[in-house]
Amino acid sequence: MNRILAMSMIALFPALLLAETTAAAAPAELQPRAFDPLPLGAVKPAGWLEKQLRIQCDGLSGNLDLFWPDVKDSGWIGGKAEGWERMPYWLDGALPLAYLLDDAALKGRIEGYMNYILEHQQDDGWLGPQQSQGYKERDPWPVFVMLKVLTQYQEVTQDARVIPAMVKFLHCLDAQLDRKPLFDWNKSRWQDAALVIEWLYERAPEPWLLALAEKLQNQGYDWVKHFSDLPYKERVKKWEFESHVVNNAMAVKAPSVQWRLTNRVRDFKMTDKALEELDKYHGQFTGIFTGDECFAGKNPSQGSELCSVVEYLFSLETAGAILGEVPLFERLERIAFNALPATFTENMWAHQYDQQANQVTCALSKERVYTTNGEDANLFGLEPNYGCCTANLHQGWPKFTSSLWMRPKDGGLAAVAYAPSTVTTKIGETDVTVSLATDYPFGDTLTFTVRAAAPVTFPLVLRVPVWAVSPAVSIDRGPEEAVQPGAFHAIAREWGSETMVTLRLPMQVRAERRYNNAIALEYGPIVLSLQLGTYWKKLRGDEPHADYEVFPTTPWNYALRVDDANPAASVAVTRQGVSDSPFSPEKPPITATVTGRLLPDWLLERHAAAPPPQSPVVSTQPDTTLTLIPYGCAKLRVTEFPVLE
């Protein structure tokens, strides 16, 4: 938004003209992002992605407020249930889901909740309940989440009440911080509030806002120092804020959010360092890191909390937009296409608290592998272990959808991540729509159709994955032009009434050595896992949101015969096509076959697969042809395998 328009918005909202705070001086301007996010609603899902969002809406996400007390009777809407983070968490995903699908029923209920919240702001600006049972009075953490909700609500409705309400709360917060500094969760998660302040400043550039963001940073936990040399290099055995998996997933965006305020080179570079440190000591093949509930090392039987998956996605969307680096969007896709769908049942009525890369049973057990989580942490159910993930799981797919397209700093449109979608926006004064038809990540051909209301010149920027084999682009079915893997490719030209651009991203099987020299396989952005037979045992609760244990009905303890130098020669891939349920374990869109042998001595340990035996291994069992499917389809799975000698 240009400064003239921003200043006109100030005139509309007199609250912004309140006296500046006495906070320390802040930078006069924010550092510009490489890509500007588009407002909610500019990008709409299509194809398999729209089907996935519809599955989500028909499951827990679109129905939780109808029966789950902590949302249905939340203190945020005048009820007597929890009035802390759960209602804001649910709205943070359910609101964009409702508007992306234009679901009238869900939109209607959400608008009612938003009206109540806006109409019941307290006189001094505080939003939400003064205190929720079991939590401290006037804890700003849940309001940080509600501020994120309000930014999305304003983008999609242009409700004139939203920005004044945000400004009024931030003045209240500013005064409170002088007498009651950040603490506990809000101290660890200050960057979520700073991000919202940056959003607001771009629409109403009052210097006191940046001073407040700097105050939050100064009172908050120092994530830049934390990630410069991760202090937790081993499995953590006691609960604490600094090693908490969700806090760290949220904090991945902290250095880039901070850089916009400081313009320090060290802050700019620290996001890359954060990913490097997390991968080195706790990384998993799906792009996430372990934490069940705190850091848990690299053993593929350790878990990763669902909240950390969706928050890591949001951090990558945020940091990717600010920094404009291809690897951040590569990881965004990797997590979205693997770790995100894997932790839900196919119909998205049940979820896990913890997922495991090597997950061969999901059973209630007092003998547990987790660092600090409980005995039911990897059950599929309504609220296994703890209800925070029940409230927070909803943002993953909707925010990923909204982040597929962004606007480059120099203008035009950029496809930073890929899934079937349509983006509608203006380039200058011209209406432009770009539709992407594709089965990606299950197929390698992406067809963009660019439609402009009048001839207009701008760059169409396409991300070319680093793993693509001889990628190429063509225009209107013309000759193909080779493009550089691991970079952004810009097509700068005049666009007319309709132009077709085809991007081919050939995929091949790749291998990586992991924990105890085990091997893991991937195909394009898809991680491949062993397909296991499953038996689902209902444990408790009411359908369709009951709790289930899951047991294997086929062997899981195999070692693979794979040539590291040429894994494609060892693994044959077949594309099946995408069904109405994109991550169905019965109808996976991709299957692969590989040779393996049973490894009888590889057994369960603490109700989980023991760490993979050190490779290479020897087995006298006969060769067996094994079927691998996408990690996101496999609810029981082995992902890191011992390798035969």
Side-chain angles (χ1 to χ4, degrees):
M1 180 175 291
N2 62 46
R3 190 171 181 85
I4 294 174
L5 181 54
M7 294 301 292
S8 70
M9 290 186 70
I10 293 177
L12 290 174
F13 305 121
L16 292 176
L17 301 179
L18 294 173
E20 296 180 10
T21 67
T22 57
E29 295 292 340
L30 287 172
Q31 297 306 307
R33 288 181 293 250
F35 297 110
D36 285 330
L38 294 167
L40 176 61
V43 182
K44 289 295 180 75
W48 72 257
L49 181 59
E50 185 176 12
K51 293 175 182 176
Q52 187 62 45
L53 289 179
R54 175 46 62 188
I55 290 170
Q56 178 175 350
C57 190
D58 291 341
L60 276 181
S61 295
N63 292 281
L64 198 64
D65 64 314
L66 298 176
F67 72 92
W68 198 49
D70 283 348
V71 172
K72 182 175 183 289
D73 302 314
S74 170
W76 277 88
I77 53 174
K80 297 186 181 301
E82 196 250 31
W84 197 56
E85 67 179 7
R86 294 188 177 183
M87 184 68 171
Y89 264 160
W90 177 74
L91 285 169
D92 197 28
L95 188 151
L97 177 65
Y99 283 93
L100 288 171
L101 292 175
D102 196 23
D103 186 281
L106 186 56
K107 281 170 57 178
R109 300 200 308 272
I110 286 173
E111 287 171 5
Y113 303 142
M114 298 306 296
N115 283 334
Y116 184 96
I117 291 164
L118 289 167
E119 290 167 3
H120 287 78
Q121 185 171 23
Q122 296 181 34
D123 290 343
D124 68 350
W126 190 262
L127 277 166
Q130 288 268 10
Q131 187 172 12
S132 182
Q133 186 175 1
Y135 299 97
K136 294 179 181 178
E137 186 178 9
R138 289 213 167 188
D139 182 352
W141 158 240
V143 194
F144 293 174
V145 185
M146 188 57 74
L147 292 175
K148 291 193 296 177
V149 175
L150 287 167
T151 65
Q152 297 176 88
Y153 190 63
Q154 196 278 334
E155 288 179 353
V156 81
T157 66
Q158 299 299 307
D159 190 321
R161 299 172 296 172
V162 171
I163 289 180
M166 294 173 67
V167 170
K168 192 174 180 181
F169 168 76
L170 290 172
H171 274 294
C172 177
L173 175 65
D174 199 3
Q176 175 171 303
L177 293 178
D178 291 335
R179 61 180 183 274
K180 184 180 180 182
L182 294 176
F183 57 90
D184 296 347
W185 297 105
N186 53 71
K187 182 176 182 178
S188 298
R189 300 173 176 182
W190 64 267
Q191 64 278 349
D192 283 54
L195 177 65
V196 170
I197 291 170
E198 292 174 1
W199 178 94
L200 184 58
Y201 182 83
E202 290 169 333
R203 288 152 179 81
E206 284 288 297
W208 71 269
L209 289 169
L210 297 189
L212 173 57
E214 187 177 50
K215 183 185 292 187
L216 288 163
Q217 173 196 322
N218 291 337
Q219 291 188 9
Y221 183 68
D222 188 347
W223 290 110
V224 166
K225 179 180 179 182
H226 175 90
F227 287 131
S228 65
D229 183 14
L230 193 68
Y232 302 95
K233 297 177 173 59
E234 305 290 340
R235 184 173 182 265
V236 174
K237 297 182 180 179
K238 66 174 184 177
W239 196 100
E240 53 196 358
F241 287 107
E242 294 79 9
S243 65
H244 186 263
V245 62
V246 184
N247 285 345
N248 279 267
M250 290 176 169
V252 164
K253 64 180 173 290
S256 56
V257 171
Q258 185 168 310
W259 170 78
R260 296 199 73 200
L261 296 166
T262 64
N263 194 25
R264 289 196 298 249
V265 173
R266 182 168 179 259
D267 295 349
F268 186 91
K269 293 181 176 180
M270 197 50 63
T271 296
D272 296 339
K273 179 65 172 174
L275 270 58
E276 177 187 324
E277 291 283 294
L278 292 169
D279 284 346
K280 182 177 181 180
Y281 299 110
H282 307 286
Q284 296 291 281
F285 192 55
T286 53
I288 58 177
F289 54 95
T290 60
D292 52 26
E293 172 135 335
C294 296
F295 285 138
K298 299 186 74 170
N299 176 2
S301 289
Q302 295 294 160
S304 297
E305 184 183 333
L306 172 52
C307 279
S308 72
V309 174
V310 295
E311 293 294 353
Y312 203 174
L313 287 171
F314 182 60
S315 286
L316 291 166
E317 291 153 5
T318 302
I322 294 170
L323 305 179
E325 296 177 349
V326 168
L328 298 177
F329 296 115
E330 299 271 313
R331 188 180 295 258
L332 174 67
E333 285 192 349
R334 189 177 188 84
I335 295 173
F337 298 146
N338 296 287
L340 178 62
T343 195
F344 298 103
T345 53
E346 183 180 350
N347 63 8
M348 292 193 73
W349 269 105
H351 71 282
Q352 297 175 288
Y353 195 81
D354 288 333
Q355 66 173 281
Q356 300 155 294
N358 285 2
Q359 182 169 284
V360 300
T361 185
C362 300
L364 199 63
S365 172
K366 291 183 179 179
E367 188 182 16
R368 63 194 188 196
V369 70
Y370 312 115
T371 56
T372 51
N373 279 341
E375 59 187 39
D376 61 348
N378 79 340
L379 299 184
F380 284 88
L382 173 60
E383 49 180 317
N385 192 73
Y386 191 63
C388 61
C389 292
T390 309
N392 195 24
L393 63 85
H394 317 280
Q395 64 172 307
W397 284 121
K399 290 187 180 179
F400 175 73
T401 301
S402 294
S403 300
L404 294 171
W405 292 88
M406 296 184 182
R407 192 181 298 281
K409 182 168 55 177
D410 298 327
L413 278 171
V416 299
Y418 295 127
S421 57
T422 297
V423 58
T424 302
T425 188
K426 281 185 178 292
I427 305 293
E429 298 300 319
T430 304
D431 292 326
V432 174
T433 298
V434 185
S435 299
L436 171 56
T438 185
D439 279 347
Y440 184 93
F442 313 112
D444 61 7
T445 301
L446 298 89
T447 303
F448 302 85
T449 303
V450 184
R451 297 181 177 90
V456 60
T457 299
F458 67 88
L460 178 67
V461 180
L462 307 178
R463 193 194 97 253
V464 185
V466 69
W467 46 257
V469 182
S470 301
V473 67
S474 65
I475 298 176
D476 284 338
R477 298 185 176 87
E480 289 191 341
E481 172 191 350
V483 292
Q484 178 65 41
F488 288 101
H489 179 76
I491 305 172
R493 55 167 287 161
E494 182 179 86
W495 305 91
S497 59
E498 183 170 300
T499 308
M500 181 181 295
V501 177
T502 302
L503 177 64
R504 284 198 314 106
L505 302 174
M507 304 174 184
Q508 69 178 17
V509 175
R510 303 181 312 283
E512 181 178 304
R513 290 295 180 135
R514 301 288 304 169
Y515 192 73
N516 283 351
N517 208 30
I519 200 166
L521 301 169
E522 57 192 343
Y523 181 70
I526 296 296
V527 172
L528 298 173
S529 299
L530 179 65
Q531 184 179 43
L532 296 177
T534 57
Y535 166 64
W536 291 70
K537 178 184 176 183
K538 180 178 173 181
L539 188 65
R540 60 198 176 203
D542 300 321
E543 301 289 356
H545 44 78
D547 292 353
Y548 299 92
E549 295 180 307
V550 190
F551 300 97
T553 60
T554 54
W556 58 267
N557 45 342
Y558 288 99
L560 300 188
R561 190 182 303 285
V562 176
D563 178 3
D564 287 59
N566 186 18
S570 309
V571 185
V573 176
T574 303
R575 292 177 181 159
Q576 316 280 96
V578 186
S579 72
D580 287 341
S581 182
F583 294 94
S584 166
E586 284 76 32
K587 296 180 180 179
I590 292 173
T591 59
T593 54
V594 64
T595 299
R597 287 187 177 185
L598 202 62
L599 206 60
D601 293 337
W602 187 18
L603 302 172
L604 292 178
E605 183 179 284
R606 290 181 293 168
H607 269 75
Q614 183 73 37
S615 291
V617 296
V618 174
S619 172
T620 59
Q621 300 294 308
D623 280 356
T624 302
T625 299
L626 304 173
T627 299
L628 309 179
I629 62 175
Y631 180 100
C633 299
K635 308 313 171 189
L636 294 184
R637 57 187 167 262
V638 175
T639 307
E640 297 189 15
F641 299 85
V643 181
L644 290 166
E645 187 175 57

